[in-house]
Amino acid sequence: LFDFKIILGKNGVPVAENFRLEQSTIADTIQAGQVRVKTLYLSVDPYMRCRMNEDTGSDYLQPWQLSEVADGGGVGVVEESKHDNLAKGDFVTSFTWPWQTVAILDGNLLQKLVPQLVNGRLSYFLGAAGITGLTALLGVREKGHVAVGANQTMVVSGAAGACGSLAGQIGRLEGCSRVVGIAGTDEKCSILVQEMGFDAAINYKKGNVAEQLRELCPGGVDVYFDNVGGDISDTVISQMNQNSHIILCGQISQYNKDVPYPPPLPPDIEKIQKERNITRERFLVLNYMEKHEASVLQLCQWIQEGKLKVRETMIEGLANIGAAFQSMMSGGNIGKQIVSVSK
């Protein structure tokens, strides 16, 4: 088997060379309760940047260990089973899937998948019908305070990424009357408007973001799905309405810096937040486990009905997972970044 190990972790910008591909062997036999799986798809995500530090700054994320096999969201197929509820040919997923072509795993830690729920697109279980979709849906529902008929305007930063591209669509499905995305290329902005139903999109690398926001959100901003933090978020917050809500999903612009999470706001922006009673509470999807099952079924229904458009950026081969991670961290993906390990 081939596996992927982390060889360097520190502050700074992660690069593909921080990972190493090795060839190794696994046991010939599996124990009671175990399954041998072939890896089909692996996910790379911004939160993994935190795991490249010895101190992740998080109470729910353990750091990757140097020269140990990295792990994250994965989907595979059972090749051999000694677990009562899993059989050869079953498709399974885990949030702690090792970056290996083949693995022996504890069957109790795997979730059995139903391919029909996502029209056979198994990789969707790592994105739109997985933790990414749950983050978007539960973020909007738990922290966005979206109400049908309330004429709310939502702004999404990192809007062409895995979570942002879903969050804007979900905001509309949940009742927002206007959805505006912020992304980093004209291509991304075009996809948001033409494919995903956003009313408008701003390329933050062109022109004045504050001016464009004022033009596109004349009534101000009621809900802000924040994936990036930093200057862009400060600009959005300055145009938010009284009693509005920030869904604090991610802060990718800050992940390579040695700052606490969530990073503090600049004093002038913090003053605006307090004066306008804008909520900005940390959001962690793992705190809503009891809502996951029903929420996944809702996401799958929207996918099947064509109401939720899904984009993926697929890179082939485990050897390229480091490059995929580096690209994703610098905005090289549209939608979910997936690594296809085997067919």
Side-chain angles (χ1 to χ4, degrees), residues 182-292:
I182 303 174
T185 70
D186 288 344
E187 180 194 11
K188 289 179 178 180
C189 290
S190 175
I191 287 168
L192 290 173
V193 174
Q194 293 177 14
E195 284 187 25
M196 298 182 172
F198 283 61
D199 293 284
I202 296 169
N203 180 349
Y204 69 87
K205 295 179 181 177
K206 284 186 174 180
N208 185 303
V209 174
E211 286 180 7
Q212 293 178 77
L213 262 181
R214 272 191 290 274
E215 184 181 323
L216 295 171
C217 307
V221 178
D222 302 295
V223 185
Y224 173 39
F225 199 100
D226 185 5
N227 286 306
V228 301
D231 293 343
I232 289 174
S233 289
D234 296 345
T235 301
V236 177
I237 293 168
S238 68
Q239 297 189 32
M240 293 187 74
N241 293 324
Q242 196 74 24
N243 303 318
S244 54
H245 305 284
I246 299 168
I247 303 164
L248 195 59
C249 180
Q251 303 280 281
I252 196 169
S253 72
Q254 308 297 303
Y255 285 165
N256 297 327
K257 303 175 184 177
D258 188 11
V259 294
Y261 186 86
L265 295 170
D268 57 327
I269 302 300
E270 186 176 17
K271 185 169 181 279
I272 289 172
Q273 183 211 341
K274 289 180 177 174
E275 286 177 349
R276 297 182 193 168
N277 192 34
I278 302 169
T279 63
R280 183 181 184 258
E281 301 160 349
R282 185 172 182 176
F283 169 70
L284 186 60
V285 71
L286 299 178
N287 288 343
Y288 301 92
M289 294 293 288
E290 75 283 359
K291 298 186 178 182
H292 282 199

Side-chain angles (χ1 to χ4, degrees), residues 53-314:
N53 285 331
E54 289 183 358
D55 178 12
T56 65
S58 168
D59 49 9
Y60 70 96
L61 285 179
Q62 295 299 312
W64 282 331
Q65 300 299 311
L66 297 183
S67 294
E68 295 291 326
V69 178
D71 69 314
V75 166
V77 60
V78 175
E79 293 188 320
E80 182 185 357
S81 176
K82 289 189 176 177
H83 188 277
D84 291 343
N85 298 326
L86 296 171
K88 182 178 179 179
D90 283 348
F91 295 105
V92 290
T93 188
S94 168
F95 193 58
T96 55
W97 196 286
W99 288 6
Q100 298 176 185
T101 52
V102 180
I104 294 174
L105 303 175
D106 179 350
N108 290 331
L109 302 180
L110 297 173
Q111 181 183 354
K112 191 172 173 179
L113 299 174
V114 181
Q116 293 86 342
L117 288 175
V118 289
N119 302 324
R121 299 290 295 272
L122 287 166
S123 57
Y124 283 12
F125 285 114
L126 297 177
I131 201 78
T132 310
L134 285 170
T135 301
L137 177 58
L138 291 171
V140 170
R141 285 185 171 174
E142 299 297 327
K143 299 295 184 182
H145 303 276
V146 173
V148 176
N151 197 30
Q152 291 161 299
T153 294
M154 173 189 272
V155 171
V156 183
S157 57
C163 196
S165 61
L166 300 171
Q169 296 180 75
I170 290 168
R172 170 61 51 71
L173 288 165
E174 291 287 287
C176 283
S177 59
R178 185 163 183 78
V179 179
V180 175
I182 303 174
T185 70
D186 288 344
E187 180 194 11
K188 289 179 178 180
C189 290
S190 175
I191 287 168
L192 290 173
V193 174
Q194 293 177 14
E195 284 187 25
M196 298 182 172
F198 283 61
D199 293 284
I202 296 169
N203 180 349
Y204 69 87
K205 295 179 181 177
K206 284 186 174 180
N208 185 303
V209 174
E211 286 180 7
Q212 293 178 77
L213 262 181
R214 272 191 290 274
E215 184 181 323
L216 295 171
C217 307
V221 178
D222 302 295
V223 185
Y224 173 39
F225 199 100
D226 185 5
N227 286 306
V228 301
D231 293 343
I232 289 174
S233 289
D234 296 345
T235 301
V236 177
I237 293 168
S238 68
Q239 297 189 32
M240 293 187 74
N241 293 324
Q242 196 74 24
N243 303 318
S244 54
H245 305 284
I246 299 168
I247 303 164
L248 195 59
C249 180
Q251 303 280 281
I252 196 169
S253 72
Q254 308 297 303
Y255 285 165
N256 297 327
K257 303 175 184 177
D258 188 11
V259 294
Y261 186 86
L265 295 170
D268 57 327
I269 302 300
E270 186 176 17
K271 185 169 181 279
I272 289 172
Q273 183 211 341
K274 289 180 177 174
E275 286 177 349
R276 297 182 193 168
N277 192 34
I278 302 169
T279 63
R280 183 181 184 258
E281 301 160 349
R282 185 172 182 176
F283 169 70
L284 186 60
V285 71
L286 299 178
N287 288 343
Y288 301 92
M289 294 293 288
E290 75 283 359
K291 298 186 178 182
H292 282 199
E293 187 175 349
S295 298
V296 167
L297 290 174
Q298 173 66 85
L299 291 161
C300 290
Q301 182 182 335
W302 281 336
I303 291 168
Q304 288 172 340
E305 293 172 349
K307 292 179 179 177
L308 195 60
K309 302 290 193 296
V310 182
R311 269 275 189 155
E312 293 180 318
T313 299
M314 190 81 71

